[in-house]
């Protein structure tokens, strides 16, 4: 692949908080094996070239405080980050999280839906997932019943507070929408969209009339031009076929998940359902790290290989993050990709696509490639191959809108051993000073991919 050429600088709108500075990422390895320099500017990738070929962009400095107008200062260099030893990837996105109930597994008694409690949990959860690399998140938020609109209010506040760090969108989830009991839920769903909910959603399986629930959701979405995102286990083929028929062609799009019930259906029924979903353009969001419900089937992974073979748009989310549904949930998109590869037979490239390109598409976000002109949404992981990164993704550097927004550095230490020098394996000496003789002393550090 030829090197990408510089593109005209991106000019964000005045309200766009994208960092307008420049950042040079040098010596990064790409999945195709090349080692490159990548220059970012104005929230986009400005240029990609062979290692050592790019320099930091020169930008005009600003006037010091109190300096009178006059000749502007000379150009100043942009930032520089050495990514030697890192694999550079498009940043993941998470299309299915539950920020309002995150981090509540150890809470005694009922979960609090007071706005201040929800905002604290949602913010902490989003920052944890940002540290894993997810620069865009879609969170499902309960509306109605005990939560009312308070949880949504808190999540919308969290969204504002995270601006410039991560993109957070909210799905309004009422419990019941049909019959007399559903009238209040339907009114609250419309209020939620007016308040700022980005997506119309819910769980039709919990309504006495699942088909009527879907019809109500699609009607509200059409009124406001919103995407749709529904919880369903997809265990009823007739109900799923009707959903696909109703959702077919709806813009800006329909996502359903986790669809783990498909795996319990006969093979011919699964094949028919997959064909119907593919024809309707419905995205299936599976949850390899565990379903977000409390049913008898905690595995949230649909038959991903069959769905992909049928042409279904497949993405992967994290689901529960240490709540009652999954008290050990990590909210880590790379773990989701690892599980898709290790347990469900996808190639590492296919698995990572489910948490990156396909996940971004499910969220309606533009594509990201490590090429000039694309958004600067990137994740650097210690390692030189994608399979290794999914296996041991300890050290990570996260870039959102062209600037580093999170960094995790991991150091693995070993005791004295003659094994490493005898085999010619690299070691670091105590105190972090790199030594090439292999005699690092007690606490020697592994230099093979764990030190950022």
């Amino acid at each position: 692949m030829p090197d990408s050429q510089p593109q005209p600088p991106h000019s964000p709108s005045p309200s766009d908080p994208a960092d307008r500075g420049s950042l040079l990422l040098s010596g990064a390895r790409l999945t195709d094996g090349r080692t490159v320099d990548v220059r970012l500017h104005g929230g986009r990738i400005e240029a990609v070239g062979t290692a050592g070929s790019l320099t930091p962009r020169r930008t005009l400095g600003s006037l010091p405080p109190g300096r009178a107008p006059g000749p502007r200062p000379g150009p100043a260099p942009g930032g520089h980050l050495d990514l030697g030893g890192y694999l550079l990837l498009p940043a993941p996105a998470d299309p299915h999280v539950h920020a309002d109930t995150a981090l509540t597994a150890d809470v005694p008694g009922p979960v609090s839906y007071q706005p201040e409690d929800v905002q604290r949990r949602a913010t902490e959860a989003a920052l944890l997932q940002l540290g894993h690399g997810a620069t865009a998140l879609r969170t499902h938020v309960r509306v109605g019943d005990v939560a009312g609109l308070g949880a949504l209010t808190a999540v919308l506040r969290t969204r504002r507070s995270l601006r410039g760090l991560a993109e957070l969108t909210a799905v309004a989830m009422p419990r019941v929408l049909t019959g007399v009991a559903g009238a209040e839920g339907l009114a609250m769903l419309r209020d939620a969209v007016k308040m700022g909910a980005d997506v119309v959603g819910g769980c039709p399986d919990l309504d006495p009339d699942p088909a009527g629930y879907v019809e109500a959701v699609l009607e509200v979405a059409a009124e406001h031009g919103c995407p749709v995102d529904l919880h369903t286990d997809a265990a009823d083929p007739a109900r799923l076929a009707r959903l696909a028929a109703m959702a077919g062609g709806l813009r800006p799009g329909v996502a359903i998940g986790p669809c783990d019930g498909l795996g319990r259906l006969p093979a011919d029924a699964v094949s028919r359902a997959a064909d119907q979903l593919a024809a309707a353009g419905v995205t299936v969001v599976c949850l390899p790290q565990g379903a977000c419900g409390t049913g008898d089937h905690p595995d949230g992974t649909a038959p991903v290989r069959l769905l992909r073979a049928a042409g279904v748009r497949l993405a992967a989310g994290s689901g529960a993050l240490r709540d009652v549904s999954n008290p050990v949930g990590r909210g880590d998109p790379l773990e989701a990709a690892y599980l898709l590869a290790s347990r469900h037979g996808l190639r590492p490239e296919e698995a990572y696509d489910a948490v990156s390109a396909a996940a971004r598409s499910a969220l309606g976000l533009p594509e990201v490639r490590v090429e000039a002109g694309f958004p600067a949404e990137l994740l650097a992981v210690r390692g030189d191959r994608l399979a290794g990164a999914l296996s041991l993704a300890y050290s990570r550097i996260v870039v959102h809108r062209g600037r580093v927004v999170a960094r995790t550095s991991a150091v693995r230490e070993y005791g004295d051993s003659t094994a490493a020098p005898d085999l010619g394996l690299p070691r670091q000496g105590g105190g972090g000073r790199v030594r090439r003789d292999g005699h690092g002393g007690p606490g020697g550090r592994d230099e093979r991919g764990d030190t950022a």
Side-chain angles (χ1 to χ4, degrees):
M1 180 185 297
D3 294 335
S4 300
Q5 298 302 311
Q7 299 292 309
H10 172 61
S11 298
S13 65
S15 61
D16 188 349
D19 190 292
R20 294 171 184 264
S22 174
L23 178 63
L24 177 65
L25 310 176
S26 65
R29 191 175 182 88
L30 303 183
T31 55
D32 62 10
R34 290 184 298 150
T35 301
V36 299
D37 292 346
V38 180
R39 190 166 61 216
L40 314 178
H41 183 70
R44 303 189 78 82
I45 298 173
E46 185 181 58
V48 178
T50 55
S53 67
L54 299 182
T55 58
R57 195 179 202 269
R58 307 294 290 187
T59 57
L60 289 177
S62 57
L63 289 174
R67 176 168 175 168
R72 300 188 67 181
H80 176 217
L81 182 62
D82 183 358
L83 289 185
Y86 280 82
L87 184 70
L88 189 62
L89 303 164
D94 198 322
H96 193 120
V97 303
H98 289 269
D100 57 340
T101 58
L103 309 174
T104 58
D106 298 326
V107 173
V111 173
S112 169
Y113 282 96
Q114 291 298 314
E116 58 271 19
D117 294 331
V118 175
Q119 184 174 357
R120 184 183 64 255
R121 296 195 302 259
T123 302
E124 183 179 355
L127 291 175
L128 284 171
Q129 294 186 266
L130 176 63
H132 290 318
T135 62
L137 306 162
R138 175 184 282 183
T139 179
H140 297 252
V141 184
R142 297 181 185 183
V143 298
D145 298 328
V146 175
L149 292 173
L152 178 62
T153 298
V155 169
L156 295 179
R157 289 175 184 165
T158 300
R159 178 174 68 184
R160 290 191 292 271
S161 70
L162 293 174
R163 190 166 292 145
L165 291 176
E167 303 291 337
L168 182 66
T169 56
V171 185
M173 283 187 59
R175 183 175 177 86
V176 179
L177 290 180
T178 65
V180 175
E184 182 179 353
L186 190 57
M188 196 159 290
L189 179 61
R190 288 191 165 94
D191 288 342
V193 176
K194 293 174 184 176
M195 283 176 56
D198 310 273
V199 186
V200 180
C203 185
D205 298 355
L206 298 179
D207 194 284
D209 179 6
Y213 188 105
V214 173
E215 289 176 357
V217 166
L218 295 178
E219 179 180 345
V220 173
E223 288 174 4
H224 297 275
C226 294
V228 170
D229 198 328
L230 295 169
H231 282 242
T232 178
D233 65 3
D236 185 328
R239 187 185 302 170
L240 187 61
R242 185 166 183 180
L243 187 157
M246 290 189 291
L250 184 71
R251 296 292 180 268
V254 177
I256 62 173
C259 298
D260 52 313
L262 284 174
R264 304 190 294 272
L265 297 177
D268 58 340
V270 177
S271 181
R272 284 195 300 272
D275 290 340
Q276 292 161 349
L277 292 172
V282 173
T283 298
V284 171
V285 179
C286 65
L287 303 177
Q289 296 168 90
C292 53
T294 56
D296 297 329
H297 304 281
D299 185 358
T301 308
V304 293
R305 294 181 67 185
L306 188 151
L307 292 172
R308 282 182 59 92
V312 176
R313 300 171 182 171
L314 180 75
S318 62
L321 174 55
R322 302 214 303 268
D323 66 16
V324 67
S325 300
N326 185 358
V328 295
R330 294 181 182 175
D332 184 353
L334 267 65
E335 184 188 45
Y338 158 79
L339 291 170
L340 288 176
S342 65
R343 294 182 56 189
H344 301 283
L346 297 191
R347 293 184 296 107
E349 295 77 13
E350 295 171 335
Y352 191 73
D353 178 83
V355 301
S356 57
R360 287 183 62 85
S361 177
L363 299 183
L365 297 172
E367 182 182 11
V368 173
R369 299 180 192 170
V370 187
E371 298 178 15
F374 284 86
E377 303 289 321
L378 302 168
L379 171 64
V381 184
R382 270 287 186 182
D384 59 0
R385 294 288 187 275
L386 183 58
L390 297 184
S391 174
L392 296 171
Y394 298 129
S395 295
R396 310 182 192 187
I397 299 173
V398 187
V399 175
H400 173 55
R401 295 190 176 186
R403 70 186 187 100
V404 175
V405 292
R407 181 166 185 163
T408 302
S409 299
V411 176
R412 177 184 292 162
E413 298 185 339
Y414 300 106
D416 267 342
S417 170
T418 60
D422 288 349
L423 296 174
L425 300 178
R427 289 283 299 276
Q428 284 187 349
R433 183 172 60 87
V434 177
R435 295 179 60 179
R436 298 299 180 184
D437 58 8
H439 301 289
R445 299 179 182 178
D446 179 7
E447 196 188 1
R448 288 174 290 169
D450 298 315
T451 305

